[in-house]
Amino acid sequence: MTRWFVNNVPSWLLLAGLILVIGGGTAVVQAFVRHRFPRLKHGEHNELATFVFPVIAVVYGFLIGFIVLALWGQVNVADQTTRTEGAVAVQMARGRNAFGKAESAQIRQSLMEYGRAAADEWTRAAGGRATPEAENALTRLHRVYENIKPRNDTQRAFLTNALASLKELSLARTERLLQARTNIGPPLSLWLVVFLTSGLVLGFSLVFGSEQARMHFGMVGAVSVLVAANLFLVTELSYPFLGEFSTSPEPLKVLIEVLSSPH
């Protein structure tokens, strides 16, 4: 469900929706509680709430911070993998001129085909599903380098480096697809913990006694926005290859730009 929201709903709309739903729902519950239990307004239980609420808030903040940090680390790893894939391909493109014109043209064509196919498949690859076009383009690129017959020591050195780079390129692509397939966000049990602690934070803010209704509604509203923002971050960061905070195919597009340059 969260994957669908990240993939189909703009991030600003998702954040606004969470704030509206959580803030509005909490306000309705708060109005009911204040009407149903008028004695809570006098704050006779505030001493206990003041003791318990900071403990819950600290645990909640630590938990959300830990989850966000872990998810952000996944995004950084995915971004580094994509950058490696693009950077290695660019280096291979720049070293193609060490070979003959015909071989250089074949390398350029094969790299161009791979770059375009890998960029075009990005949406499907974000779900861990490779396309035949990209796989076939990578296979043809392997064949091009395997068929090169070096004529001197310089070409032998460049070919050795190119084959090593090609291996690194293939590895980076495989890692990217595996990361997209396996990084599917927090498990259900962790989501339950997030919802439970969020509910506790909202619940204690609701029962906190205050004679001034505006001040009480303002305090609960602020807590609601905080909870909504935290849920937004966890949701958006759960998928390293989807959403506004995800990595992008820009490194692969740079390869196409380099190969399209007349120089």
Side-chain angles (χ1 to χ4, degrees), residues 140-218:
R140 288 192 295 270
L141 183 60
H142 275 274
R143 290 175 181 171
V144 167
Y145 277 103
E146 290 170 357
N147 292 331
I148 293 179
K149 305 298 182 183
R151 301 179 182 85
N152 50 53
D153 292 339
T154 299
Q155 289 188 356
R156 291 190 186 92
F158 270 90
L159 180 59
T160 300
N161 292 333
L163 291 174
S165 297
L166 183 57
K167 181 179 180 181
E168 187 176 0
L169 173 67
S170 300
L171 179 60
R173 170 177 170 76
T174 302
E175 289 180 350
R176 174 168 61 85
L177 294 175
L178 288 176
Q179 288 169 1
R181 181 178 300 174
T182 57
N183 292 341
I184 55 176
L188 178 60
S189 58
L190 192 55
W191 274 116
L192 292 177
V193 172
V194 171
F195 291 141
L196 176 61
T197 54
S198 299
L200 287 174
V201 170
L202 290 173
F204 269 89
S205 65
L206 283 174
V207 301
F208 196 85
S210 176
E211 291 285 351
Q212 300 181 10
R214 290 184 179 180
M215 180 178 295
H216 192 201
F217 275 96

Side-chain angles (χ1 to χ4, degrees), residues 28-64:
V28 172
V29 174
Q30 182 182 6
F32 171 79
V33 169
R34 288 180 65 88
H35 176 73
R36 182 66 177 79
F37 305 98
R39 294 186 58 182
L40 291 177
K41 302 177 185 179
H42 303 303
E44 298 174 356
H45 59 291
N46 279 358
E47 184 176 351
L48 177 62
T50 303
F51 173 77
V52 178
F53 184 76
V55 176
I56 295 177
V58 169
V59 174
Y60 175 72
F62 176 81
L63 174 66
I64 293 297

